[in-house]
Amino acid sequence: MRFASLLLATAAATVSAFAPQQSISNFHASRSSAHPSSTTTSSLSAMPICIVVEAEVKEDRMDDFLVMIEANAIGSRAEPGCIRFDVLQAEDQSNKFYFYEVYESASDIAHHKEQSHYAGWVAFKESGGTISAVSKKASGKFMTE
């Protein structure tokens, strides 16, 4: 699936009740005070890194998945550098999910991948719980504040 289509599908998906850990305006405020010359509208170096994951879960593993992904989302939001971790469920396919993750930097993503709640996602995939899982990384350009 092309990345633009994935983002469109993500926007159209039903949002699960997961709130962001840090608002994007707090991110911009912290960036502008740390980097007074940077702007919040066009500088890729000053913008966060976004991850969009599309996962299709085996229907007989949905209960396990929902417990695991809620723990992953809660744990991820508590990490320093995690601005947002949303879990969305497709309206037209109940076993298809999208994760929308926003991190301040690549080192924050590396830190995230070292956490036990992330290991739960890796173990779930390795145990055969997913039909497919595709991850895309993008740099923030023009993001909602």
Side-chain angles (χ1 to χ4, degrees):
M1 175 182 266
R2 291 174 37 149
F3 187 66
S5 299
L6 179 59
L7 286 178
L8 182 58
T10 301
T14 303
V15 178
S16 295
F18 294 113
Q21 179 225 349
Q22 174 182 345
S23 73
I24 196 74
S25 59
N26 289 344
F27 171 80
H28 290 309
S30 68
R31 285 293 201 184
S32 60
S33 64
H35 307 285
S37 63
S38 69
T39 66
T40 60
T41 57
S42 63
S43 174
L44 284 177
S45 64
M47 294 304 288
I49 300 171
C50 306
I51 307 288
V52 179
V53 177
E54 178 182 358
E56 188 174 352
V57 177
K58 288 187 176 176
E59 296 203 17
D60 63 337
R61 299 289 306 278
M62 286 288 289
D63 291 340
D64 295 336
F65 170 77
L66 291 171
V67 169
M68 177 280 303
I69 198 60
E70 182 178 19
N72 190 0
I74 291 168
S76 297
R77 278 190 228 113
E79 295 171 23
C82 179
I83 298 169
R84 176 175 211 104
F85 194 108
D86 295 334
V87 177
L88 303 98
Q89 184 175 23
E91 290 182 351
D92 62 345
Q93 192 173 348
S94 64
N95 67 324
K96 185 170 278 192
F97 292 83
Y98 305 93
F99 317 153
Y100 179 67
E101 308 170 40
V102 182
Y103 298 91
E104 289 185 24
S105 69
S107 62
D108 293 318
I109 294 170
H111 174 78
H112 169 67
K113 290 182 175 183
E114 296 171 349
Q115 304 309 302
S116 60
H117 50 268
Y118 179 82
W121 165 239
V122 172
F124 183 80
K125 290 189 298 182
E126 289 175 350
S127 74
T130 58
I131 296 167
S132 65
V134 178
S135 189
K136 301 288 185 179
K137 186 188 300 186
S139 297
K141 183 65 174 170
F142 299 104
M143 297 181 70
T144 304
E145 290 189 31

